[in-house]
Amino acid sequence: MSKAATNDAAKRGRLARWLISGPPLFYLLLFFAIPSLIMVFASVRYAGDYGGLAPVFDEAGKLNLTLENFQRFTSDFIYTAIFLKSLMYAVITTCCCLLMAYPLALLIARSPKKYRDLLILLVILPFWSNFLIRVYAWMIILGPQSGLTQAVNYVLGLVGIEPVRLLFTAFSVIVGLVYVHLPFMVLPLYANLEKHDPALVDAAQDLGASAWQRFWRITFPLSLPGVYAGAALVFIPALGIFAVSDILGGTGSDMIGNVIKQQFLETRDWPFGSVLSIVLTVAALIAAGIAVLVARPRREIHG
């Protein structure tokens, strides 16, 4: 092959790579990198007299920048407490989704092929309806006059316990978060479990391993990449979501997403809202990085 032909092939290869990677790169630059830079710049500015942002330069022509907004976050424990509570809610949601999604994903993966598509369709079926409608439906299910609440309080009354309220509590927020994010745990787990070689489990059974041993020694270790992927897909959005706690939570169930919304839309303190957004973004990036680092050795071992 001549040198000119080699150069043409190399150019076509570079062009193909740019055509493939260019649109996602442009999307991330336009909708993630640039807004993040704007948010960082807003976090070191003063709030305007009537909300929003004060001018970058004051009347004397000096830069009107400050780090007071970051100091406010670190000095006022109430925001740290809300952020830690959001972390706790996200962790509980992730654990509950994993406990509920793993058996379901395993059942789907081991079902006959003619039923798998139908079962997966049932998993994603809730996405066909509006998100807010689905969350509002839980207000009816957990309401004080609902059959579920009356049944729970009836059972508690039999053992001498006072009636409880299910709606507008931390419990209702966790229920809503688990319901919303459960499919995001099921799908990556199913994608992983469906690829497992049944011969490995059969060989372990022939060697005398019990069903419990076969699961913990073979199935679960092989499924860890799916567990890490599902955990990241659930934990990160659950950390910043605000609609569920707005609708199903009480006054003490606010999450960091609710505080950010209040800062931008109600108090109009955009600089401090930007600080909270930066903290949330950094926490999400750290969680994603941990998931990648933890999953990488497993991929090398089992890949």
Side-chain angles (χ1 to χ4, degrees):
M1 182 182 294
S2 65
K3 185 176 181 180
T6 303
N7 291 335
D8 289 341
K11 290 180 180 179
R12 286 194 296 270
R14 287 194 295 267
L15 178 60
R17 286 194 296 269
W18 273 109
L19 290 175
I20 294 173
S21 61
L25 183 62
F26 176 76
Y27 179 89
L28 290 174
L29 180 66
L30 183 62
F31 294 105
F32 183 78
I34 293 178
S36 296
L37 292 176
I38 295 174
M39 186 172 60
V40 171
F41 183 55
S43 68
V44 295
R45 294 174 62 179
Y46 288 98
D49 294 335
Y50 302 99
L53 299 173
V56 179
F57 297 94
D58 58 17
E59 296 178 356
K62 295 182 180 179
L63 277 175
N64 200 18
L65 303 179
T66 180
L67 293 176
E68 291 180 359
N69 300 303
F70 290 93
Q71 295 173 354
R72 177 183 171 188
F73 175 77
T74 55
S75 61
D76 198 339
F77 182 71
I78 185 173
Y79 298 108
T80 305
I82 292 175
F83 182 73
L84 293 177
K85 180 172 64 177
S86 301
L87 282 174
M88 179 186 69
Y89 281 0
V91 170
I92 294 175
T93 300
T94 304
C95 294
C96 291
C97 285
L98 178 60
L99 292 175
M100 297 173 65
Y102 202 104
L104 178 59
L106 190 61
L107 173 66
I108 298 175
R110 294 185 177 179
S111 298
K113 290 186 178 181
K114 61 180 180 179
Y115 298 125
R116 291 180 190 175
D117 291 341
L118 175 61
L119 294 174
I120 290 296
L121 177 64
L122 294 176
V123 170
I124 64 176
L125 191 62
F127 290 121
W128 292 12
S129 60
N130 184 272
F131 168 80
L132 292 178
I133 293 176
R134 289 186 283 125
V135 176
Y136 272 114
W138 279 100
M139 293 186 66
I140 300 174
I141 298 173
L142 300 176
Q145 303 302 322
S146 69
L148 176 62
T149 301
Q150 292 182 1
V152 170
N153 287 327
Y154 176 77
V155 173
L156 293 178
L158 294 178
V159 295
I161 300 178
E162 293 292 327
V164 297
R165 185 179 63 178
L166 300 183
L167 188 61
F168 304 134
T169 62
F171 169 78
S172 60
V173 174
I174 296 297
V175 169
L177 290 173
V178 171
Y179 168 74
V180 168
H181 295 99
L182 186 60
F184 296 107
M185 182 69 78
V186 175
L187 295 178
L189 282 173
Y190 165 75
N192 177 279
L193 292 168
E194 193 267 339
K195 297 176 182 177
H196 289 189
D197 187 357
L200 296 174
V201 178
D202 294 339
Q205 184 176 9
D206 293 340
L207 293 173
S210 63
W212 190 250
Q213 290 174 327
R214 295 196 299 271
F215 174 77
W216 279 113
R217 298 289 182 88
I218 298 175
T219 303
F220 187 73
L222 289 173
S223 66
L224 284 178
V227 172
Y228 297 141
L233 289 174
V234 170
F235 178 84
I236 293 175
L239 180 62
I241 197 171
F242 66 88
V244 172
S245 52
D246 248 0
I247 297 172
L248 300 178
T251 55
S253 302
D254 282 348
M255 300 175 65
I256 190 67
N258 300 96
V259 180
I260 294 174
K261 187 200 72 170
Q262 292 167 4
Q263 295 298 320
F264 278 100
L265 300 182
E266 298 175 15
T267 62
R268 289 183 55 80
D269 190 350
W270 292 6
F272 188 63
S274 298
V275 169
L276 297 176
S277 300
I278 291 172
V279 173
L280 179 61
T281 302
V282 171
L285 291 175
I286 291 174
I290 292 174
V292 171
L293 291 176
V294 173
R296 184 177 300 168
R298 297 290 182 178
R299 292 194 185 102
E300 294 174 356
I301 291 173
H302 300 294

